Amino acid sequence: MPSIHEVRVMPWSAAQMYDLVADVAHYPEFLPWVAATRVRSDSEHEMVADMLVAFKALREKFTSRVEKTRPERIKVHYVDGPLRDLDNCWQFRPLGPDSCEVDFRVDFTFRNVLFEKLAGQYLDRAFRKMVGAFEERAALLYGRSSSSATSVA
């Protein structure tokens, strides 16, 4: 199962970054390739949501169940879609009142092994673009800090 892992120090609080990641309804406003989202159910500890991902002529819908533990962790479990499996986890560790460490891991398996090998060449770049989009959204919502996000891993 391919995996991507990134740890970054962010100039925003763990609660702010948690809130940003948990706000699935607004993903189409800032995440590349996310054309639409639909939150089916949402509570303090769990959400079920659909995400429509579009890239050129390709459009695929994913359904996920999201475990929420505010402000420490968000775990996303794949329910349905074009992959065999997709799980990701965000962990937010406070470093001070206005900074945190964000640890993000995604594990995935395509249904088609050949497609998995081909897509693997581009996934790292796409992943970095999406992480950058979260950083830009945080700057827009919470303001820019004199320090910038730094990669730890």
Side-chain angles (χ1 to χ4, degrees):
M1 176 182 293
S3 179
I4 297 173
H5 182 224
E6 178 89 11
V7 178
R8 292 197 183 190
V9 174
M10 300 291 210
W12 302 286
S13 73
Q16 286 173 314
M17 293 307 298
Y18 172 94
D19 291 343
L20 173 64
V21 174
D23 190 10
V24 172
H26 287 96
Y27 281 11
E29 295 176 18
F30 68 95
L31 277 180
W33 311 297
V34 176
T37 56
R38 180 180 70 159
V39 176
R40 294 183 182 191
S41 64
D42 194 11
S43 70
E44 182 180 352
H45 298 289
E46 184 177 89
M47 173 192 316
V48 176
D50 297 327
M51 183 181 303
L52 180 65
V53 176
F55 182 74
K56 298 186 180 184
L58 182 67
R59 296 175 75 79
E60 295 287 351
K61 184 183 91 168
F62 297 81
T63 302
S64 298
R65 184 177 57 82
V66 182
E67 292 177 39
K68 303 184 297 183
T69 308
R70 187 175 198 282
E72 296 91 18
R73 183 177 56 249
I74 294 174
K75 289 184 81 170
V76 181
H77 305 281
Y78 186 72
V79 174
D80 188 37
L83 301 172
R84 180 175 295 140
D85 193 30
L86 173 69
D87 293 299
N88 66 61
C89 182
W90 297 82
Q91 294 193 88
F92 310 96
R93 293 184 192 95
L95 298 176
D98 297 317
S99 66
C100 70
E101 179 182 88
V102 177
D103 186 322
F104 177 69
R105 176 179 301 277
V106 61
D107 300 301
F108 53 92
T109 306
F110 288 91
R111 291 189 194 279
N112 182 313
V113 177
L114 179 61
F115 185 69
E116 183 171 300
K117 289 180 181 180
L118 290 171
Q121 301 172 28
Y122 303 101
L123 287 175
D124 187 61
R125 190 172 16 178
F127 169 76
R128 305 245 180 265
K129 186 170 183 165
M130 292 186 82
V131 169
F134 276 103
E135 288 180 36
E136 286 300 314
R137 180 69 170 187
L140 178 71
L141 293 177
Y142 309 129
R144 295 214 179 262
S145 174
S146 57
S147 63
S148 61
T150 57
S151 182
V152 176

